Amino acid sequence: MTSVASVLAAVPASVLPASIPSPPASVWYLGPFPLRAYALAILAGIVAAVLITRRRWVERGGAADDVLEIAFWAVPFGIVGGRVYHVLSSPDAYFGPGGDPWRAVAIWEGGLGIWGAVALGAVGAWIGCRRQGVRLAPFADALAPGLLVAQAVGRLGNWFNQELFGGPTTLPWGLQIDDAHLPAGYDPGTLFHPTFLYELLWNLAAAAVLVVLDRRLRLGHGRVFWLYVVLYTAGRLWIELLRIDPAETIGPFRLNVWTSIIVGLGALVAFVVVGRRHPGRETTLLLDPPAPQEHEESSPTTDR
Protein backbone atom coordinates (compact mmCIF):
# COMPACT_ATOMS: atom_id res chain seq x y z
CA MET A 1 0.00 0.00 0.00
CA THR A 2 2.84 2.38 0.85
CA SER A 3 4.57 1.72 -2.46
CA VAL A 4 1.34 2.37 -4.37
CA ALA A 5 0.87 5.70 -2.61
CA SER A 6 4.47 6.70 -3.34
CA VAL A 7 4.01 5.99 -7.03
CA LEU A 8 0.83 8.04 -7.13
CA ALA A 9 2.57 10.87 -5.29
CA ALA A 10 5.14 11.14 -8.09
CA VAL A 11 2.56 12.78 -10.38
CA PRO A 12 3.26 16.56 -10.53
CA ALA A 13 0.86 18.38 -8.21
CA SER A 14 0.86 21.49 -10.43
CA VAL A 15 -1.33 19.77 -13.03
CA LEU A 16 -3.85 18.40 -10.53
CA PRO A 17 -6.74 19.87 -8.53
CA ALA A 18 -6.39 20.47 -4.79
CA SER A 19 -9.04 17.82 -4.12
CA ILE A 20 -12.00 16.03 -5.68
CA PRO A 21 -15.42 16.97 -4.27
CA SER A 22 -18.07 14.33 -3.73
CA PRO A 23 -21.52 14.94 -5.26
CA PRO A 24 -23.91 16.57 -2.77
CA ALA A 25 -26.70 14.09 -3.57
CA SER A 26 -27.04 10.56 -4.88
CA VAL A 27 -30.84 10.43 -5.20
CA TRP A 28 -33.24 12.72 -7.05
CA TYR A 29 -37.02 12.49 -7.11
CA LEU A 30 -39.52 12.72 -9.93
CA GLY A 31 -42.59 13.10 -7.79
CA PRO A 32 -42.67 9.98 -5.61
CA PHE A 33 -40.18 8.09 -7.82
CA PRO A 34 -36.51 8.09 -6.78
CA LEU A 35 -33.74 8.31 -9.37
CA ARG A 36 -30.62 6.85 -7.82
CA ALA A 37 -27.21 7.72 -9.21
CA TYR A 38 -25.94 4.19 -8.52
CA ALA A 39 -28.69 2.61 -10.59
CA LEU A 40 -28.26 5.15 -13.39
CA ALA A 41 -24.51 4.44 -13.50
CA ILE A 42 -25.14 0.70 -13.74
CA LEU A 43 -27.71 1.18 -16.51
CA ALA A 44 -25.40 3.54 -18.43
CA GLY A 45 -22.61 0.98 -18.16
CA ILE A 46 -24.88 -1.77 -19.48
CA VAL A 47 -25.92 0.36 -22.45
CA ALA A 48 -22.28 1.17 -23.23
CA ALA A 49 -21.31 -2.51 -23.03
CA VAL A 50 -24.16 -3.55 -25.34
CA LEU A 51 -23.28 -0.92 -27.96
CA ILE A 52 -19.55 -1.77 -27.91
CA THR A 53 -20.19 -5.51 -27.96
CA ARG A 54 -22.67 -5.19 -30.81
CA ARG A 55 -20.12 -3.41 -32.99
CA ARG A 56 -17.35 -5.89 -32.16
CA TRP A 57 -19.65 -8.89 -32.66
CA VAL A 58 -20.69 -7.68 -36.10
CA GLU A 59 -17.04 -7.09 -37.01
CA ARG A 60 -16.38 -10.74 -36.15
CA GLY A 61 -19.18 -11.86 -38.45
CA GLY A 62 -22.05 -12.17 -35.96
CA ALA A 63 -25.59 -10.88 -36.21
CA ALA A 64 -26.27 -7.60 -34.42
CA ASP A 65 -29.52 -8.90 -32.92
CA ASP A 66 -27.62 -11.67 -31.12
CA VAL A 67 -26.20 -9.19 -28.62
CA LEU A 68 -29.52 -7.96 -27.27
CA GLU A 69 -30.90 -11.49 -27.09
CA ILE A 70 -27.88 -12.70 -25.12
CA ALA A 71 -27.89 -9.60 -22.91
CA PHE A 72 -31.51 -10.38 -22.02
CA TRP A 73 -30.16 -13.43 -20.18
CA ALA A 74 -26.71 -12.25 -19.10
CA VAL A 75 -27.66 -8.94 -17.46
CA PRO A 76 -30.20 -10.17 -14.88
CA PHE A 77 -28.04 -13.19 -14.08
CA GLY A 78 -25.07 -10.87 -13.61
CA ILE A 79 -26.96 -8.49 -11.32
CA VAL A 80 -28.18 -11.34 -9.12
CA GLY A 81 -24.70 -12.89 -9.02
CA GLY A 82 -23.08 -9.57 -8.21
CA ARG A 83 -25.48 -8.97 -5.33
CA VAL A 84 -25.03 -12.47 -3.92
CA TYR A 85 -21.25 -12.11 -3.96
CA HIS A 86 -21.44 -8.70 -2.31
CA VAL A 87 -23.65 -9.99 0.52
CA LEU A 88 -21.49 -13.07 1.07
CA SER A 89 -18.24 -11.08 1.08
CA SER A 90 -19.61 -8.31 3.36
CA PRO A 91 -22.17 -10.12 5.52
CA ASP A 92 -21.94 -8.05 8.72
CA ALA A 93 -24.14 -5.22 7.42
CA TYR A 94 -26.91 -7.74 6.79
CA PHE A 95 -26.46 -10.62 9.21
CA GLY A 96 -24.04 -9.29 11.82
CA PRO A 97 -24.83 -7.49 15.09
CA GLY A 98 -27.26 -4.68 14.31
CA GLY A 99 -27.54 -5.81 10.68
CA ASP A 100 -30.73 -5.87 8.65
CA PRO A 101 -31.23 -9.07 6.60
CA TRP A 102 -33.89 -7.40 4.45
CA ARG A 103 -31.28 -4.96 3.13
CA ALA A 104 -29.58 -7.87 1.41
CA VAL A 105 -32.06 -7.45 -1.45
CA ALA A 106 -31.89 -3.63 -1.49
CA ILE A 107 -29.69 -3.50 -4.55
CA TRP A 108 -30.68 0.12 -5.19
CA GLU A 109 -28.61 1.13 -2.15
CA GLY A 110 -25.45 -0.05 -3.88
CA GLY A 111 -23.36 -3.17 -3.61
CA LEU A 112 -22.47 -5.45 -6.54
CA GLY A 113 -19.49 -7.78 -6.47
CA ILE A 114 -17.85 -8.06 -9.88
CA TRP A 115 -16.76 -11.66 -9.34
CA GLY A 116 -20.31 -12.85 -8.76
CA ALA A 117 -21.57 -10.69 -11.61
CA VAL A 118 -19.09 -12.18 -14.07
CA ALA A 119 -19.58 -15.76 -12.86
CA LEU A 120 -23.38 -15.83 -12.91
CA GLY A 121 -23.49 -13.45 -15.87
CA ALA A 122 -21.45 -16.01 -17.81
CA VAL A 123 -24.12 -18.59 -17.05
CA GLY A 124 -26.77 -16.25 -18.44
CA ALA A 125 -24.60 -15.51 -21.49
CA TRP A 126 -24.12 -19.25 -22.07
CA ILE A 127 -27.89 -19.74 -22.03
CA GLY A 128 -28.35 -16.84 -24.44
CA CYS A 129 -25.63 -18.11 -26.76
CA ARG A 130 -27.16 -21.58 -26.82
CA ARG A 131 -30.55 -20.12 -27.71
CA GLN A 132 -28.98 -18.07 -30.51
CA GLY A 133 -26.91 -20.97 -31.74
CA VAL A 134 -23.54 -19.23 -31.33
CA ARG A 135 -20.40 -20.08 -29.40
CA LEU A 136 -19.75 -18.54 -26.00
CA ALA A 137 -15.98 -18.05 -26.42
CA PRO A 138 -16.05 -15.66 -29.39
CA PHE A 139 -18.96 -13.79 -27.85
CA ALA A 140 -16.96 -13.37 -24.63
CA ASP A 141 -14.08 -12.02 -26.73
CA ALA A 142 -16.39 -9.46 -28.32
CA LEU A 143 -17.79 -8.53 -24.92
CA ALA A 144 -14.56 -8.09 -22.94
CA PRO A 145 -13.68 -4.44 -23.77
CA GLY A 146 -17.29 -3.34 -23.35
CA LEU A 147 -17.43 -5.08 -19.98
CA LEU A 148 -14.47 -3.03 -18.80
CA VAL A 149 -16.13 0.17 -19.98
CA ALA A 150 -19.32 -0.84 -18.15
CA GLN A 151 -17.36 -1.41 -14.96
CA ALA A 152 -15.67 1.98 -15.37
CA VAL A 153 -18.98 3.80 -15.76
CA GLY A 154 -20.52 1.83 -12.89
CA ARG A 155 -17.82 3.08 -10.51
CA LEU A 156 -19.34 6.55 -10.78
CA GLY A 157 -22.15 5.19 -8.63
CA ASN A 158 -19.66 4.66 -5.80
CA TRP A 159 -18.58 8.27 -6.15
CA PHE A 160 -22.13 9.53 -5.80
CA ASN A 161 -22.74 7.20 -2.84
CA GLN A 162 -19.46 8.30 -1.19
CA GLU A 163 -18.44 4.69 -0.59
CA LEU A 164 -15.61 2.24 -1.21
CA PHE A 165 -12.89 4.89 -1.08
CA GLY A 166 -9.33 4.34 0.06
CA GLY A 167 -7.36 5.41 3.08
CA PRO A 168 -6.49 9.00 4.00
CA THR A 169 -4.11 10.88 1.72
CA THR A 170 -2.51 14.29 1.30
CA LEU A 171 -2.24 13.87 -2.46
CA PRO A 172 -3.69 16.74 -4.51
CA TRP A 173 -6.46 14.56 -5.93
CA GLY A 174 -7.74 13.40 -2.53
CA LEU A 175 -11.47 12.77 -2.31
CA GLN A 176 -13.66 14.92 -0.10
CA ILE A 177 -16.18 12.99 2.04
CA ASP A 178 -18.96 14.77 3.91
CA ASP A 179 -19.51 14.21 7.62
CA ALA A 180 -22.50 11.92 7.07
CA HIS A 181 -20.32 9.40 5.20
CA LEU A 182 -17.07 9.93 7.12
CA PRO A 183 -15.68 6.69 8.59
CA ALA A 184 -15.35 6.51 12.35
CA GLY A 185 -12.06 7.81 13.69
CA TYR A 186 -11.36 10.37 10.95
CA ASP A 187 -11.58 14.12 11.37
CA PRO A 188 -13.85 16.24 9.15
CA GLY A 189 -11.95 17.54 6.15
CA THR A 190 -9.80 14.40 5.80
CA LEU A 191 -9.13 13.50 2.16
CA PHE A 192 -9.19 9.91 0.95
CA HIS A 193 -7.86 7.97 -2.05
CA PRO A 194 -10.53 8.12 -4.81
CA THR A 195 -10.38 4.42 -5.59
CA PHE A 196 -13.46 4.76 -7.80
CA LEU A 197 -11.40 7.03 -10.06
CA TYR A 198 -8.35 4.76 -10.00
CA GLU A 199 -10.45 1.80 -11.13
CA LEU A 200 -12.35 3.87 -13.69
CA LEU A 201 -9.13 4.99 -15.37
CA TRP A 202 -7.52 1.55 -15.10
CA ASN A 203 -10.53 -0.12 -16.72
CA LEU A 204 -10.68 2.34 -19.61
CA ALA A 205 -6.95 1.90 -20.25
CA ALA A 206 -7.29 -1.89 -20.08
CA ALA A 207 -10.21 -1.78 -22.55
CA ALA A 208 -8.04 0.16 -25.00
CA VAL A 209 -5.23 -2.39 -24.58
CA LEU A 210 -7.63 -5.25 -25.32
CA VAL A 211 -8.91 -3.60 -28.50
CA VAL A 212 -5.38 -2.90 -29.79
CA LEU A 213 -4.02 -6.38 -29.01
CA ASP A 214 -7.10 -8.06 -30.44
CA ARG A 215 -6.72 -6.21 -33.72
CA ARG A 216 -2.99 -6.80 -34.02
CA LEU A 217 -2.84 -10.41 -32.82
CA ARG A 218 -6.32 -11.54 -33.94
CA LEU A 219 -7.04 -13.24 -30.64
CA GLY A 220 -9.80 -15.78 -30.47
CA HIS A 221 -11.24 -18.79 -28.61
CA GLY A 222 -11.82 -16.75 -25.45
CA ARG A 223 -8.32 -15.28 -25.19
CA VAL A 224 -9.53 -11.66 -25.21
CA PHE A 225 -11.80 -12.48 -22.28
CA TRP A 226 -9.04 -14.22 -20.35
CA LEU A 227 -6.76 -11.25 -20.97
CA TYR A 228 -9.53 -9.00 -19.66
CA VAL A 229 -9.56 -10.99 -16.43
CA VAL A 230 -5.77 -10.76 -16.13
CA LEU A 231 -5.71 -6.99 -16.64
CA TYR A 232 -8.69 -6.30 -14.41
CA THR A 233 -7.43 -8.40 -11.51
CA ALA A 234 -4.00 -6.78 -11.75
CA GLY A 235 -5.60 -3.38 -11.25
CA ARG A 236 -8.12 -4.55 -8.67
CA LEU A 237 -5.30 -6.04 -6.60
CA TRP A 238 -3.49 -2.78 -5.86
CA ILE A 239 -6.69 -0.74 -5.69
CA GLU A 240 -8.19 -3.16 -3.18
CA LEU A 241 -5.13 -2.73 -0.96
CA LEU A 242 -5.96 0.97 -0.65
CA ARG A 243 -9.58 0.54 0.45
CA ILE A 244 -10.68 0.88 4.07
CA ASP A 245 -14.37 -0.10 3.89
CA PRO A 246 -15.39 -3.12 6.02
CA ALA A 247 -14.79 -6.45 4.31
CA GLU A 248 -14.12 -10.06 5.13
CA THR A 249 -10.43 -10.82 5.59
CA ILE A 250 -8.43 -14.02 5.31
CA GLY A 251 -5.10 -13.68 7.06
CA PRO A 252 -3.52 -10.31 6.31
CA PHE A 253 -5.60 -9.51 3.22
CA ARG A 254 -9.18 -8.78 2.27
CA LEU A 255 -11.15 -11.51 0.53
CA ASN A 256 -11.13 -9.57 -2.75
CA VAL A 257 -7.33 -9.40 -2.69
CA TRP A 258 -7.07 -13.17 -2.50
CA THR A 259 -9.76 -13.50 -5.16
CA SER A 260 -7.84 -11.17 -7.48
CA ILE A 261 -4.65 -13.20 -7.05
CA ILE A 262 -6.27 -16.60 -7.58
CA VAL A 263 -8.57 -15.57 -10.43
CA GLY A 264 -5.85 -13.54 -12.13
CA LEU A 265 -3.34 -16.41 -12.08
CA GLY A 266 -5.99 -18.84 -13.31
CA ALA A 267 -6.88 -16.51 -16.18
CA LEU A 268 -3.21 -16.14 -17.13
CA VAL A 269 -2.83 -19.92 -17.31
CA ALA A 270 -6.01 -20.18 -19.40
CA PHE A 271 -4.78 -17.45 -21.76
CA VAL A 272 -1.52 -19.30 -22.39
CA VAL A 273 -3.03 -22.79 -22.67
CA VAL A 274 -5.82 -21.72 -25.02
CA GLY A 275 -3.31 -19.81 -27.16
CA ARG A 276 -1.18 -22.91 -27.60
CA ARG A 277 -4.12 -25.15 -28.45
CA HIS A 278 -6.04 -22.68 -30.61
CA PRO A 279 -3.86 -19.98 -32.16
CA GLY A 280 -5.70 -17.38 -34.18
CA ARG A 281 -9.45 -16.85 -34.35
CA GLU A 282 -12.36 -19.19 -34.85
CA THR A 283 -13.41 -20.08 -38.38
CA THR A 284 -17.06 -19.97 -37.37
CA LEU A 285 -19.16 -18.36 -34.63
CA LEU A 286 -21.93 -20.97 -34.90
CA LEU A 287 -22.42 -23.90 -32.56
CA ASP A 288 -23.46 -26.13 -35.44
CA PRO A 289 -21.98 -24.76 -38.65
CA PRO A 290 -23.69 -25.95 -41.80
CA ALA A 291 -22.05 -28.91 -43.50
CA PRO A 292 -20.32 -28.12 -46.79
CA GLN A 293 -22.49 -29.00 -49.74
CA GLU A 294 -21.15 -31.18 -52.49
CA HIS A 295 -21.73 -29.82 -55.96
CA GLU A 296 -21.90 -32.33 -58.80
CA GLU A 297 -19.92 -31.30 -61.81
CA SER A 298 -22.00 -31.28 -64.97
CA SER A 299 -20.60 -31.25 -68.46
CA PRO A 300 -21.45 -28.21 -70.48
CA THR A 301 -24.07 -28.60 -73.17
CA THR A 302 -24.34 -26.71 -76.40
CA ASP A 303 -27.61 -25.77 -78.04
CA ARG A 304 -27.68 -26.40 -81.74
Side-chain angles (χ1 to χ4, degrees):
M1 179 172 171
T2 303
S3 60
V4 172
S6 62
V7 171
L8 295 174
V11 179
S14 59
V15 300
L16 298 168
S19 63
I20 300 174
S22 288
S26 61
V27 184
W28 305 273
Y29 288 88
L30 291 177
F33 302 104
L35 293 178
R36 301 181 184 275
Y38 185 86
L40 293 176
I42 296 297
L43 289 175
I46 292 172
V47 170
V50 168
L51 293 176
I52 294 171
T53 303
R54 178 171 175 159
R55 179 174 179 177
R56 287 175 50 81
W57 183 243
V58 171
E59 288 176 350
R60 286 174 176 256
D65 291 342
D66 288 342
V67 178
L68 283 178
E69 294 293 334
I70 296 171
F72 176 80
W73 291 91
V75 170
F77 271 71
I79 291 175
V80 172
R83 187 60 177 181
V84 169
Y85 182 90
H86 166 75
V87 172
L88 292 179
S89 60
S90 303
D92 291 344
Y94 311 102
F95 308 109
D100 183 1
W102 289 107
R103 290 183 57 212
V105 298
I107 192 172
W108 54 87
E109 294 182 357
L112 290 175
I114 184 60
W115 312 117
V118 171
L120 206 54
V123 174
W126 176 80
I127 295 173
C129 286
R130 296 286 297 183
R131 291 175 62 89
Q132 293 302 112
V134 298
R135 297 182 177 181
L136 177 61
F139 183 81
D141 284 342
L143 169 66
L147 190 56
L148 279 167
V149 173
Q151 291 173 238
V153 176
R155 280 303 179 191
L156 292 174
N158 300 136
W159 180 41
F160 277 88
N161 283 354
Q162 299 191 48
E163 61 184 0
L164 308 186
F165 43 83
T169 181
T170 57
L171 296 173
W173 59 84
L175 179 65
Q176 300 174 17
I177 299 296
D178 62 34
D179 293 350
H181 297 86
L182 193 67
Y186 293 97
D187 296 328
T190 301
L191 301 180
F192 298 87
H193 280 287
T195 50
F196 84 91
L197 180 61
Y198 298 162
E199 188 167 331
L200 185 155
L201 296 175
W202 180 277
N203 288 348
L204 292 180
V209 170
L210 288 185
V211 171
V212 171
L213 291 181
D214 187 28
R215 288 177 178 175
R216 292 185 178 181
L217 304 180
R218 295 189 58 78
L219 301 174
H221 300 278
R223 296 185 75 200
V224 182
F225 182 82
W226 291 122
L227 187 56
Y228 145 72
V229 177
V230 171
L231 293 177
Y232 176 73
T233 53
R236 184 63 182 269
L237 177 61
W238 67 266
I239 294 170
E240 194 72 28
L241 290 172
L242 293 172
R243 283 170 47 173
I244 59 173
D245 54 287
E248 291 296 300
T249 59
I250 301 177
F253 299 125
R254 298 157 64 97
L255 174 61
N256 282 334
V257 172
W258 290 112
T259 305
S260 296
I261 294 172
I262 295 171
V263 174
L265 290 176
L268 180 60
V269 171
F271 177 81
V272 174
V273 171
V274 172
R276 290 180 176 178
R277 292 182 177 179
H278 305 287
R281 286 187 180 172
E282 300 86 349
T283 57
T284 179
L285 304 177
L286 302 178
L287 280 173
D288 299 308
Q293 298 180 353
E294 295 183 0
H295 299 281
E296 296 182 358
E297 294 185 0
S298 56
S299 56
T301 60
T302 304
D303 292 334
R304 294 185 182 272

